[in-house]
């Protein structure tokens, strides 16, 4: 095993493994990673404990050993934690090397032998890089060089272009080579093809996928334009807008992801969970973070920093539709979201509200938003909305509905907080 060239492990199975002369059971590559983790745990390696709280890979925000099962392929270890393994074989072997180095094991003392697969059966989700390697090996280098040098603005597979490429490369670009190139190159929606290295460097492509995978693991979805905004080093001649970026992401991504339009924006989501269910989960995370980390009040900027794959508009929609426990307000001119208990209403407010509604009913008025707000303000001796930073009627209705605890039940109907009817 040469950990500097893990790409050589594509389409292979491990055969033997030893660390400092100690035999290690192998199984497949996924089994071997788990075996190393269990070994370091059983030996009380002082570094392994940190991985329950911090990432192993640079640029990741996700702990290496996860409390809950992530979306995508994962393995569970003896502690009940999970390890994300939705990666191809070279990346998996590279991860084994990083784990060993992190736990202070000299890779010179790690000996692994492996053998090529012979059954021809591979996991499609994890075979992306291996497939590209195989295709690249089928296409002569002179063709790749000619494409990179002479077609930086894109290539079309029409008869004239193919003939000129054959002349420039000195190789007949026959049907088989054209098929291989079409698998290898990124195709824009306008049928222009680009070599991946012309669009973005290999590291940038990896960073895009790693960050997108982190968002998918943590939230199950993300806003495509937010991912696009994070990467400004793409070749603008190849990817000049959101539509082409989405197509590029779909080409380099190997996970089961579906791109949909929701709330007027394009969203990438996992296949095994609906968008409304995902948004409901995100809303609960927002509520928990607001309450536990920000004392009940989180600014829009802090919210976006904690949820980097989502714009302010989408977060506002998610909160509005799925987080009744939060209200949008302004504090010193800054847009914030706060839990109802952080509004500063006293424990007696529910009683005050019930008594006010009873008085309104007693004089024969309908408890509309305006009537109820005026009555509450007079009863409490203050401008209710201004005092509690309630910016609009929608928020006012939510506060009233949340704090009304008496019978009979009431609900807002056409601007009136009236008795609920079956």
């Amino acid at each position: 095993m040469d950990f500097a060239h893990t790409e050589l492990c594509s389409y292979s199975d491990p055969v033997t493994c030893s660390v400092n002369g100690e035999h290690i059971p192998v199984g497949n590559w996924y089994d071997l990673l788990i075996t190393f983790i269990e070994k370091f745990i059983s030996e009380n390696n002082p570094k392994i404990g940190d991985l329950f709280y911090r990432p192993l890979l640079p640029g990741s925000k996700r702990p290496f050993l996860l409390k809950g099962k992530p979306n995508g392929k994962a393995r569970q270890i003896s502690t009940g934690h999970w390890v994300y393994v939705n990666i191809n074989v070279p990346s998996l072997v590279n991860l084994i090397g990083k784990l060993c180095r992190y736990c202070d094991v000299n890779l010179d003392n790690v000996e692994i032998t492996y053998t090529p697969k012979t059954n021809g059966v591979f996991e499609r989700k994890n075979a992306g890089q291996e497939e590209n390697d195989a295709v690249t090996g089928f296409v002569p280098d002179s063709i790749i060089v000619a494409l990179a040098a002479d077609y930086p603005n894109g290539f079309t597979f029409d008869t004239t272009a193919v003939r000129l490429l054959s002349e420039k490369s000195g190789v007949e670009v026959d049907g088989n080579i054209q098929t291989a190139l079409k698998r290898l190159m990124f195709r824009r929606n306008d049928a222009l093809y680009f070599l991946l290295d012309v669009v973005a460097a290999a590291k940038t492509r990896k960073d895009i996928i790693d960050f997108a995978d982190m968002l998918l693991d943590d939230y199950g979805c993300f806003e495509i334009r937010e991912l696009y905004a994070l990467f400004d080093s793409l070749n603008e001649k190849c990817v000049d807008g959101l539509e082409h970026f989405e197509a590029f992401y779909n080409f380099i991504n190997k996970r089961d992801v579906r791109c949909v339009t929701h709330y007027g924006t394009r969203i990438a989501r996992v296949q095994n969970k609906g968008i409304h269910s995902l948004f409901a989960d995100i809303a609960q995370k927002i509520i928990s973070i607001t309450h536990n980390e920000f004392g009940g009040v989180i600014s829009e900027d802090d919210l976006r920093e904690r949820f980097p794959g989502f714009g302010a508009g989408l977060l506002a929609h998610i909160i509005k539709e799925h987080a009744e426990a939060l209200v949008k307000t302004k504090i010193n001119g800054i847009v914030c979201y706060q839990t109802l208990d952080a509004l500063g209403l006293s424990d007696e407010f529910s009683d005050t509200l019930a008594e006010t509604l009873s008085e309104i009913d007693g004089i024969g008025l309908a408890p509309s938003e305006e009537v109820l707000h005026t009555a509450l303000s007079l009863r409490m001796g203050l401008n209710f909305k201004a005092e509690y930073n309630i910016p609009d009627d929608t928020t006012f209705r939510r506060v009233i509905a949340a704090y009304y605890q008496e019978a009979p039940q009431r609900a807002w109907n056409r601007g009136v907080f009236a008795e609920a009817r079956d």
Side-chain angles (χ1 to χ4, degrees), residues 319-320 323-327 394-402 412:
I319 291 170
K320 180 180 179 181
E324 290 292 324
L326 292 180
V327 295
T394 300
T395 303
F396 176 75
R397 291 194 297 268
R398 290 175 61 188
V399 171
I400 296 303
W412 287 101

Side-chain angles (χ1 to χ4, degrees), residues 5 15 23 29 50 81 85 97-98 126 132 143 191 197 218 233 246 251 272 274 324 344 360 384 387-389 411:
H5 295 283
V15 177
H23 173 70
W29 290 114
D50 294 341
H81 289 74
V85 294
K98 287 183 180 295
N126 294 325
N132 282 345
I143 294 178
D197 285 339
D218 290 346
S233 57
E246 181 180 326
F251 183 79
N272 60 351
E324 290 292 324
I360 292 173
F384 183 78
E387 180 70 17
Y388 296 104
N389 292 313

Side-chain angles (χ1 to χ4, degrees), residues 114-382:
Y114 57 94
T115 185
K117 286 177 180 285
T118 57
N119 60 9
V121 178
F122 309 100
E123 290 187 78
R124 175 65 184 89
K125 285 178 66 177
N126 294 325
Q129 186 58 50
E130 291 94 326
E131 288 181 358
N132 282 345
D133 290 344
V135 172
T136 303
F138 182 77
V139 177
D141 289 345
S142 61
I143 294 178
I144 302 296
V145 171
L147 283 169
D150 298 316
Y151 299 94
N153 296 325
F155 182 79
T156 59
F157 283 89
D158 58 61
T159 303
T160 300
V162 170
R163 177 178 57 78
L164 290 174
L165 179 60
S166 298
E167 293 175 359
K168 292 175 183 294
S169 64
V171 177
E172 181 184 356
V173 183
D174 59 18
N176 290 331
I177 291 179
Q178 289 182 52
T179 299
L181 281 172
K182 288 179 180 179
R183 292 173 59 198
L184 178 68
M185 299 173 74
F186 160 57
R187 180 187 183 276
R188 273 192 349 193
N189 299 338
D190 56 3
L192 276 177
Y193 286 80
F194 299 86
L195 291 172
L196 290 184
D197 285 339
V198 173
V199 182
K203 183 181 184 306
T204 299
R205 302 197 301 269
K206 181 178 184 301
D207 288 344
I208 291 172
I209 294 304
D210 286 349
F211 195 81
D213 284 350
M214 181 197 72
L215 294 173
L216 292 171
D217 293 338
D218 290 346
Y219 310 114
C221 62
F222 62 85
E223 199 169 354
I224 292 174
R225 67 182 173 194
E226 292 298 310
L227 181 67
Y228 182 32
L230 292 171
F231 295 93
D232 58 2
S233 57
L234 301 179
N235 185 342
E236 293 184 357
K237 294 180 179 179
C238 310
V239 176
D240 58 1
L242 188 61
E243 181 182 355
H244 290 156
F245 176 78
E246 181 180 326
F248 182 62
Y249 168 70
N250 282 329
F251 183 79
I252 63 177
N253 168 58
K254 300 304 175 184
R255 289 181 63 167
D256 290 331
V257 175
R258 183 183 178 190
C259 295
V260 298
T261 300
H262 207 76
Y263 291 138
T265 187
R266 295 292 288 173
I267 296 170
R269 67 166 177 85
V270 294
Q271 293 273 23
N272 60 351
K273 203 165 187 179
I275 196 72
H276 291 288
S277 179
L278 291 170
F279 283 174
D281 292 343
I282 292 169
Q284 290 306 307
K285 287 184 171 71
I286 293 172
I287 293 170
S288 176
I289 288 171
T290 302
H291 182 75
N292 297 324
E293 297 183 24
F294 290 87
V297 182
I298 186 170
S299 72
E300 192 173 62
D301 288 342
D302 285 335
L303 185 62
R304 289 201 63 195
E305 185 174 339
R306 291 293 274 105
F307 292 83
F310 304 86
L314 181 57
L315 288 170
H317 281 296
I318 291 172
I319 291 170
K320 180 180 179 181
E321 297 296 327
H322 302 279
E324 290 292 324
L326 292 180
V327 295
K328 186 176 183 178
T329 185
K330 278 191 176 182
I331 300 176
N332 297 325
I334 298 173
V335 175
C336 298
Y337 294 91
Q338 60 185 141
T339 56
L340 290 175
D341 57 0
L343 287 173
L345 289 165
S346 68
D347 295 337
E348 293 78 29
F349 179 68
S350 290
D351 293 335
T352 300
L353 175 61
E355 293 166 3
T356 303
L357 285 165
S358 179
E359 291 179 354
I360 292 173
D361 291 341
I363 61 176
L365 287 175
S368 65
E369 295 166 6
E370 183 178 358
V371 168
L372 183 52
H373 177 256
T374 301
L376 282 172
S377 298
L378 290 171
R379 187 180 187 89
M380 299 172 70
L382 48 81

